[in-house]
Amino acid sequence: MIKAHIYKTLRSAAGKMELDIELNIQKGQFVTLYGPSGAGKTSTLRIIAGLLTPDKGQISVGDTTWFDKEQKINSPTQQRKIGYVFQDYALFPNMSVRKNLEYALEKKQDKNIIDELISIVELEELQNRKPETLSGGQQQRVALARALVRQPEVLLLDEPLSALDINMRSKLQDYILKVHKAYHLTTILVSHDIGEIIKMSDMIYDLKDGRIQKVGEPMSIFTNNQLSGKFQFVGDVIAISKQDVFYIVTVLIGQSVVKVVAQEKEIVNLKIGDKVIVASKAFNPVLQKIEK
Amino acid sequence: MIDWGPLILTAKLALVTTIILLAISIPLAYWLAFSKSRMKPIVETLVSMPLVLPPTVLGFYLLMAFSPGNSFGAWLQDWFGIRLIFSFSGLVIGSMMYSLPFMVNPIQSGLAGLPNSLAEASYVLGKSKMKTLFSVLLPNIKPSLLTGVVLAFAHTIGEFGVVLMIGGNIPEKTKVVSIAIYDEVEALNYTQANTYSIILFIIAFMVLLSVYMINGGYLKKFWK
């Protein structure tokens, strides 16, 4: 679906960086670009969108070539059918929620898509409000809906959830997955959040200093030893305390706090704030429905 | 009884100048805000020159250029039958140059102050640069537009040097209020001069007050 091989010299505060990225993304895949800041994730996304022109390379989507330096093809952003969600949402402050969506309509396009999208992201109540009166999560839903009005095949998400709290993030992840499936999108997400990446993506490109370090499925990227865990969760270490001869590591998984007993050798490389996987191999976890 | 002619002429001059200037300044400010051209500092300097040059310098060169004794002035007269000195059209052109920075600078800084993602979001939605400018960018810098319009209008009302140099003092044609005041003082008609002066004083006060109130957000509710 998306084949891209791009080179560009980027100049940033940290100095020059050579971006050299090769992507090969299947139709319908949910792909994440992961890596430290300044690795070139957003630049890669902007190049695919046509907001930034690479120095050389090719980009083709489906049967159409969007960029080819040698053949001098460089279709403008306007002609590349993509949905793009910006980190700062980029909603138009002068238009209501509904007007923001209607603005995206193409000439002669059926207006029913507006109502359909508004109902998918559950914005019916807010459709006549101005963006500035909405919360971050609500604004993000508007941005997501607006990006889908033109019915693109490719959805590009530039750290769309980084400004939201955990609760909101998890809800929006569900919205994104919902539209990804409902509209058979090929989605590229830029994200730092390992939990989010594991939950959402089929494939990860791990970027560093403008180059791809690793490509693979989430679990194989984030765990060094192949765990065949019966169950596993990703969380943040929030406390490590010594108890007699062993240690207690407190891990925040989503919104739940879990305490895990650890040996001294297990915590040597661990510090507060690290991402860890909590897994159980030997026992079957017990499931219990929570009655509301 | 005071002669209303100069007041009406001044209002007409300021209105015409402001309208034409707005139409010219939007593309110019857009270019200045987003261009990466090497020419940009030079154009920026030229736009801002009237802020520091004495109006008489501008007036003098315009007088030279527009004079039918000169090749450019002669060409205008021969080909278009326009004579720009000692005429209302000449005054409009002079005033436009003189008030250019007052219109361009607020619009330029308004455009430059908008987040880039706003325009980019519009391009990604398939909209042209023109559509983006008029539907997204300009509606979000209304206070800057208003500041530009009000300042250009007020500045045109207050000009003296350029008008005197290229317009002279022809009643109903080029005799604006600032010239009329000078004229009355010369003729020792202090009462008349005082009447004109008070009117200008009040207008200038109201105009600037409205700009500061808008920029201070006091009138924000009317702009949302």
Side-chain angles (χ1 to χ4, degrees), chain A residues 67-81:
Chain A
F67 182 84
D68 192 328
K69 183 74 182 177
E70 273 152 32
Q71 292 184 49
K72 295 201 167 72
I73 299 173
N74 184 12
S75 52
T77 299
Q78 284 91 340
Q79 284 167 25
R80 304 186 183 189
K81 241 189 160 183

Side-chain angles (χ1 to χ4, degrees), chain A residues 197-210:
Chain A
I197 295 171
I198 292 178
K199 173 176 172 183
M200 303 183 76
S201 22
D202 303 319
M203 189 67 90
I204 295 182
Y205 285 84
D206 184 0
L207 271 61
K208 200 183 170 204
D209 298 328

Side-chain angles (χ1 to χ4, degrees), chain A:
Chain A
M1 172 75 184
I2 304 177
K3 275 186 198 290
H5 200 167
I6 47 186
Y7 306 86
K8 184 167 178 70
T9 307
L10 298 169
R11 266 164 265 271
S12 68
K16 263 199 199 173
M17 185 181 76
E18 301 285 337
L19 186 71
D20 178 355
I21 301 280
E22 192 170 353
L23 301 173
N24 195 347
I25 298 167
Q26 306 300 318
K27 190 172 167 57
Q29 258 188 339
F30 198 115
V31 173
T32 300
L33 304 180
Y34 171 77
S37 29
K41 306 182 299 289
T42 298
S43 299
T44 304
L45 215 57
R46 290 173 61 82
I47 286 173
I48 295 172
L51 295 170
L52 203 63
T53 310
D55 299 336
K56 53 181 179 165
Q58 309 88 36
I59 303 168
S60 67
V61 173
D63 302 330
T64 35
T65 303
W66 284 357
F67 182 84
D68 192 328
K69 183 74 182 177
E70 273 152 32
Q71 292 184 49
K72 295 201 167 72
I73 299 173
N74 184 12
S75 52
T77 299
Q78 284 91 340
Q79 284 167 25
R80 304 186 183 189
K81 241 189 160 183
I82 45 170
Y84 197 111
V85 176
F86 292 83
Q87 201 169 0
D88 64 354
Y89 319 139
L91 298 175
F92 306 131
N94 57 318
M95 303 176 199
S96 67
V97 168
R98 196 181 176 84
K99 285 273 183 311
N100 260 279
L101 266 64
E102 283 174 352
Y103 180 80
L105 281 172
E106 287 179 10
K107 278 177 197 156
K108 295 177 191 162
Q109 195 185 341
D110 186 0
K111 282 192 178 165
N112 290 333
I113 182 88
I114 304 283
D115 289 313
E116 182 183 322
L117 284 166
I118 285 181
S119 94
I120 285 185
V121 297
E122 295 168 49
L123 284 167
E124 290 95 339
E125 306 290 313
L126 305 171
Q127 53 178 302
N128 294 318
R129 295 254 293 267
K130 286 277 171 72
E132 61 171 11
T133 66
L134 305 181
S135 72
Q138 291 165 339
Q139 293 193 28
Q140 195 53 275
R141 270 143 69 195
V142 180
L144 181 63
R146 188 181 67 180
L148 297 172
V149 171
R150 288 174 85 202
Q151 297 175 297
E153 292 181 348
V154 178
L155 179 61
L156 306 174
L157 306 165
D158 185 9
E159 298 194 43
L161 309 177
S162 56
L164 305 174
D165 63 55
I166 287 187
N167 225 340
M168 209 63 224
R169 268 175 171 242
S170 143
K171 273 183 85 175
L172 273 153
Q173 287 160 5
D174 295 338
Y175 281 116
I176 292 174
L177 283 175
K178 190 166 147 190
V179 297
H180 172 74
K181 295 211 175 80
Y183 293 100
H184 311 290
L185 298 166
T186 306
T187 304
I188 306 179
L189 170 76
V190 167
S191 178
H192 286 298
D193 184 335
I194 296 178
E196 177 173 300
I197 295 171
I198 292 178
K199 173 176 172 183
M200 303 183 76
S201 22
D202 303 319
M203 189 67 90
I204 295 182
Y205 285 84
D206 184 0
L207 271 61
K208 200 183 170 204
D209 298 328
R211 278 159 214 275
I212 295 169
Q213 303 286 307
K214 281 184 272 181
V215 186
E217 290 174 11
M219 275 304 169
S220 67
I221 298 275
F222 292 124
T223 52
N224 291 326
N225 50 338
Q226 294 282 325
L227 285 174
S228 62
K230 295 252 184 196
F231 88 119
Q232 48 190 21
F233 295 109
V234 177
D236 299 286
V237 176
I238 51 176
I240 302 172
S241 61
K242 192 169 163 48
Q243 202 110 55
D244 300 332
V245 291
F246 53 88
Y247 289 82
I248 302 225
V249 181
T250 313
V251 182
L252 178 71
I253 300 172
Q255 280 188 299
S256 321
V257 175
V258 176
K259 290 189 188 229
V260 182
V261 176
Q263 304 289 328
E264 186 163 3
K265 64 178 196 314
E266 290 179 284
I267 63 124
V268 175
N269 288 321
L270 224 50
K271 59 179 189 304
I272 290 170
D274 280 351
K275 293 264 181 202
V276 288
I277 288 181
V278 179
S280 161
K281 292 171 89 171
F283 301 101
N284 236 350
V286 179
L287 276 185
Q288 203 165 20
K289 186 180 161 69
I290 301 169
E291 301 296 337
K292 282 182 186 165

Side-chain angles (χ1 to χ4, degrees), chain B residues 61-70 72-74 76-77 83-85 90 93-94 97 166:
Chain B
Y61 283 118
L62 286 176
L63 183 66
M64 291 292 106
F66 294 161
S67 154
N70 210 306
F72 179 66
L76 279 177
Q77 185 145 350
R83 187 178 182 147
L84 290 176
I85 48 165
I93 291 179
M97 291 190 176
I166 61 171

Side-chain angles (χ1 to χ4, degrees), chain B residues 4 13-14 22 39 58 63-64 67 73 76 80 95 104 118 120 126 142 146 165 177 179-180 204 206 215:
Chain B
W4 289 97
L13 177 66
L22 182 64
M39 291 291 290
L58 186 62
L63 183 66
M64 291 292 106
S67 154
L76 279 177
F80 299 102
S95 313
V104 171
L118 227 49
E120 287 175 351
K142 277 183 199 158
L146 193 73
M165 294 294 279
V177 182
I179 304 280
M206 298 303 289
N215 286 350

Side-chain angles (χ1 to χ4, degrees), chain B residues 47-102:
Chain B
V47 168
S48 295
M49 282 290 268
L51 291 176
V52 286
L53 269 189
T56 40
V57 172
L58 186 62
F60 172 69
Y61 283 118
L62 286 176
L63 183 66
M64 291 292 106
F66 294 161
S67 154
N70 210 306
S71 52
F72 179 66
W75 176 77
L76 279 177
Q77 185 145 350
D78 293 346
W79 284 82
F80 299 102
I82 308 172
R83 187 178 182 147
L84 290 176
I85 48 165
F86 307 119
S87 74
F88 184 73
S89 354
L91 281 196
V92 170
I93 291 179
S95 313
M96 276 166 51
M97 291 190 176
Y98 189 44
S99 296
L100 192 64
F102 292 86

